[in-house]
Amino acid sequence: MEDQAEGLRALAREARQGKFPFEVAGPAAEAKKASVFQAPAARARVVTVTSGKGGVGKSNLSINLSLALCRLGKQVILFDADLGLANVDVLMGLSPRYNLQHVVYGMKPIHEVMVDGPEGLKVIASGSGISQLANLNSGQRERILSQFSLLEDRADYIVVDTGAGISRNVLAFVLAADESLVVTTPEPTARLDAYGMVKVVSQEKIQARLSLVVNQVRDEREGDENGELIRTLAQRFLNMSLDYLGCVRRDGHVSQAVREQTPFLLSYPNSPAARDVSLLAGRLSATQSLEGRPGDGSRFFSRLAAFFSR
Amino acid sequence: MNDEILDRGYPRSGSMGQLLQRSLASMVKVSGPIEAIPGKTRVIALIGPTGVGKTTSLVKMASQYTYDHGLKVGLITADTYRIGAVEQLKIFRDIIDLPLEVANQPDEIPDALAKLSDRDLVFLDTAGRSPQNRRQIQDLRAFLEASKPAETHLVISATTKNSDLLPIVAKFGLVPINRFLFTKLDETKSYGLFLNLAAHFSIPVSYLSTGQKVPDDLESASPEKIAELVLGEAHGRPS
């Protein structure tokens, strides 16, 4: 005879045996956990994608770049940290039922919050969970961070789509990440905001690694000019060295794919934008992978938690 | 111009739905999960009409905070009116292994609280009250005044008739309410009451109870989830 407290009794049993709820579960959950990732990898490289200005195609780039990395055989987790608009869901036609908040409050284990995207991509919606890290006691925090560490241990890349603008949250992500892509377009307003982003980061004591991506360019030359311009300005006035990672050409297929709620890399793999993004992914994975950060063996999510609570 | 808008990442297909969902979501306020400050006893009271699922919701929260958060949780029941109410709670208490105190009168509350002073969270269960019965509401008020809850959640069934909804909140509003907790979301497909309440009261929604299973069927409310429920109803798709 089953009653409404069946799950509760199971939980109580396991708690008495000293198990944590995250490890709760029978064979089904074991299988699920095992299938979350095919192959274990070294510590994930955390790449945040950010922009000073909204509407430069940041979320779209995050998704397609993640997929391009998947196609290179990488295990990638896309982390939608855009607290305002759940763009990643919309652009990919996914709707995660749970978000990070459920993990932070211990209601779901991390693997249940992750949804499967195309090409083996895993997607996690952040909800407002991440910023709650600051409000937990050290015991709770430890337990949750160990959940997050699972992600870092098993993926090659964690791509974080941050909100637009330069809020405290966005800054925390940028400072905690191994590196950040600052997305801009050739429009002067977008360039100015990208520079602003670099400037804010340059004023922090923590050294962050920033790379520029110029989106929606007419041709490669326009991309190079804009990338070079911001790079030079940052070097001269902020004493900040940026990499120019590359550009993505303006391409009607992009808007077509957005209308169809599919990533353009999948629906128009031979379009100019898809080729450009694949190139970016190739360059990203070719640049020397950082072993965490220089002289710092700490983990992304612990650093993040520290930034949120400062 | 269109191209520009599209390139900025606003999807055209389903954009009305998106817009609607966002604007609905912006109407609804949520509180997030119960705040617990380890080492400091916070009392969480659940009040509401009869049969809405106060005790079940309370047990769900108590077990989530015990097992998932590793907090010290205690229970007080002031429901000595309904036959079997205390026994029901005792069964759950035995499963989770929590201290449970019974308060027959408001003046027994301080003693009960003293016994639970090592707890991080104390959940206070109250007797289901008819909003039409003024005396009952006065009794409830006395219990709350004695226990000084940090949060008082008014538990409302999603199956409540719209015409009864506002009177319920108005009558229970004689005691200070600071959260709405919705239950029985799985027993209806119309969720307009969320918006009706949001339009009338600035009280945030705390949790949504979506079934009878303890402790699984209780989730912290989010504006997106609520907007999705309301829209799911309009689109006629199951949510």
Side-chain angles (χ1 to χ4, degrees):
Chain A
M1 261 294 272
E2 193 175 284
D3 65 22
Q4 67 181 140
E6 216 44 59
L8 179 60
R9 286 196 195 87
L11 210 55
R13 247 188 330 267
E14 309 215 347
R16 272 196 294 274
Q17 290 160 7
K19 284 189 194 169
F20 268 117
F22 293 134
E23 282 128 36
V24 162
E30 280 308 311
K32 199 168 174 185
K33 238 196 284 185
S35 73
V36 167
F37 296 108
Q38 281 111 15
R43 170 100 45 93
R45 192 166 155 194
V46 181
V47 181
T48 62
V49 181
T50 183
S51 67
K53 183 176 177 298
V56 297
K58 172 181 58 64
S59 294
N60 215 348
L61 185 77
S62 310
I63 293 168
N64 287 283
L65 185 68
S66 301
L67 288 169
L69 286 166
C70 286
R71 289 217 159 155
L72 291 175
K74 308 291 183 191
Q75 181 68 65
V76 184
I77 299 171
L78 175 58
F79 189 93
D80 184 2
D82 193 335
L83 306 182
L85 306 170
N87 273 324
V88 170
D89 314 355
V90 177
L91 291 171
M92 237 184 317
L94 293 175
S95 40
R97 220 179 124 200
Y98 303 110
N99 59 43
L100 212 59
Q101 202 174 354
H102 293 90
V103 179
V104 170
Y105 287 102
M107 290 167 194
K108 290 284 160 194
I110 195 119
H111 66 264
E112 279 187 35
V113 170
M114 215 159 6
V115 287
D116 290 311
E119 302 287 309
L121 178 67
K122 308 284 175 191
V123 182
I124 299 180
S126 142
S128 56
I130 268 288
S131 55
Q132 313 277 13
L133 282 177
N135 305 322
L136 301 174
N137 71 35
S138 59
Q140 292 169 317
R141 197 149 100 183
E142 204 113 297
R143 203 149 53 92
I144 287 149
L145 290 176
S146 73
Q147 281 279 294
F148 288 150
S149 307
L150 285 178
L151 301 182
E152 293 179 60
D153 285 342
R154 302 201 195 174
D156 298 311
Y157 283 88
I158 299 177
V159 177
V160 182
D161 180 14
T162 71
I166 315 176
S167 66
R168 191 169 153 264
N169 285 355
V170 171
L171 190 63
F173 277 105
V174 170
L175 294 177
D178 295 312
E179 60 195 292
S180 300
L181 304 187
V182 181
V183 184
T184 181
T185 70
E187 286 175 38
T189 46
R191 283 193 320 227
L192 198 64
D193 288 345
Y195 179 79
M197 179 86 217
V198 176
K199 183 169 177 181
V200 169
V201 174
S202 75
Q203 287 160 349
E204 293 290 328
K205 286 195 189 72
I206 297 108
Q207 263 203 335
R209 180 169 158 161
L210 300 180
S211 301
L212 272 171
V213 175
V214 187
N215 196 13
Q216 299 166 12
V217 299
R218 196 175 48 239
D219 49 27
E220 210 174 313
R221 222 187 86 193
E222 190 183 36
D224 294 351
E225 282 168 5
N226 280 279
E228 194 53 34
L229 176 72
I230 300 172
R231 209 183 65 78
T232 312
L233 289 176
Q235 186 66 62
R236 187 179 308 161
F237 297 111
L238 306 175
N239 197 23
M240 192 64 188
S241 53
L242 298 180
D243 290 328
Y244 166 55
L245 192 67
C247 60
V248 181
R249 279 168 285 172
R250 177 176 285 274
D251 181 351
H253 294 101
V254 174
S255 44
Q256 186 61 36
V258 170
R259 278 193 288 265
E260 293 161 0
Q261 287 187 259
T262 58
F264 60 82
L265 197 90
L266 302 182
S267 42
Y268 304 102
N270 294 316
S271 62
R275 287 204 298 267
D276 291 343
V277 169
S278 303
L279 214 61
L280 289 181
R283 276 185 212 141
L284 196 64
S285 68
T287 52
Q288 188 54 45
S289 176
L290 299 172
E291 304 303 325
R293 284 135 57 96
D296 179 357
S298 66
R299 285 163 175 274
F300 171 68
F301 284 106
S302 347
R303 295 194 295 263
L304 193 59
F307 287 126
F308 275 121
S309 42
R310 70 177 187 174
Chain B
M1 179 64 191
N2 269 342
D3 265 2
E4 190 189 328
I5 290 173
L6 290 166
D7 282 351
R8 282 163 183 250
Y10 299 111
R12 186 185 280 164
S13 73
S15 64
M16 270 313 284
Q18 282 300 320
L19 204 63
L20 202 56
Q21 182 161 7
R22 267 179 225 158
S23 64
L24 285 184
S26 70
M27 285 174 65
V28 179
K29 271 206 253 172
V30 299
S31 64
I34 290 170
E35 246 181 85
I37 305 163
K40 185 169 179 265
T41 307
R42 290 187 96 229
V43 178
I44 311 298
L46 269 67
I47 64 169
T50 57
V52 292
K54 285 183 296 298
T55 306
T56 306
S57 301
L58 179 142
V59 174
K60 286 174 182 171
M61 295 194 283
S63 42
Q64 287 182 358
Y65 277 86
T66 302
Y67 293 126
D68 297 344
H69 299 241
L71 293 177
K72 286 193 223 152
V73 175
L75 308 175
I76 300 178
T77 179
D79 185 3
T80 51
Y81 179 81
R82 197 179 56 123
I83 302 297
V86 175
E87 285 69 23
Q88 185 195 355
L89 212 45
K90 278 183 175 163
I91 292 172
F92 281 115
R93 183 246 353 234
D94 290 344
I95 299 175
I96 318 179
D97 193 18
L98 293 177
L100 166 68
E101 297 296 326
V102 180
N104 293 293
Q105 297 293 332
D107 59 14
E108 295 176 22
I109 291 275
D111 266 358
L113 279 177
K115 284 182 192 154
L116 298 174
S117 59
D118 67 323
R119 304 278 110 185
D120 303 317
L121 283 176
V122 170
F123 290 95
L124 173 69
D125 198 11
T126 60
R129 292 307 188 194
S130 163
Q132 306 305 335
N133 188 324
R134 233 188 131 74
R135 199 187 51 78
Q136 287 188 348
I137 301 281
Q138 292 299 348
D139 282 353
L140 178 64
R141 190 174 173 157
F143 272 109
L144 292 180
E145 276 170 5
S147 52
K148 298 187 190 57
E151 296 177 15
T152 301
H153 299 239
L154 176 59
V155 182
I156 297 172
S157 163
T159 63
T160 306
K161 260 194 299 186
N162 195 30
S163 58
D164 290 338
L165 186 65
L166 298 184
I168 288 174
V169 184
K171 293 285 163 53
F172 277 97
L174 293 173
V175 304
I177 302 166
N178 38 36
R179 304 279 191 272
F180 290 136
L181 189 160
F182 290 104
T183 58
K184 310 199 184 192
L185 266 69
D186 57 325
E187 296 184 20
T188 178
K189 285 199 179 292
S190 348
Y191 303 102
L193 84 170
F194 291 132
L195 299 184
N196 290 338
L197 285 182
H200 284 90
F201 304 97
S202 60
I203 298 171
V205 180
S206 57
Y207 288 90
L208 305 175
S209 166
T210 53
Q212 292 176 283
K213 282 204 283 295
V214 180
D216 298 348
D217 295 339
L218 184 78
E219 56 184 271
S220 169
S222 73
E224 293 75 23
K225 170 80 180 182
I226 291 173
E228 190 190 303
L229 284 168
V230 174
L231 285 174
E233 165 197 346
H235 292 167
R237 62 178 157 81
S239 43

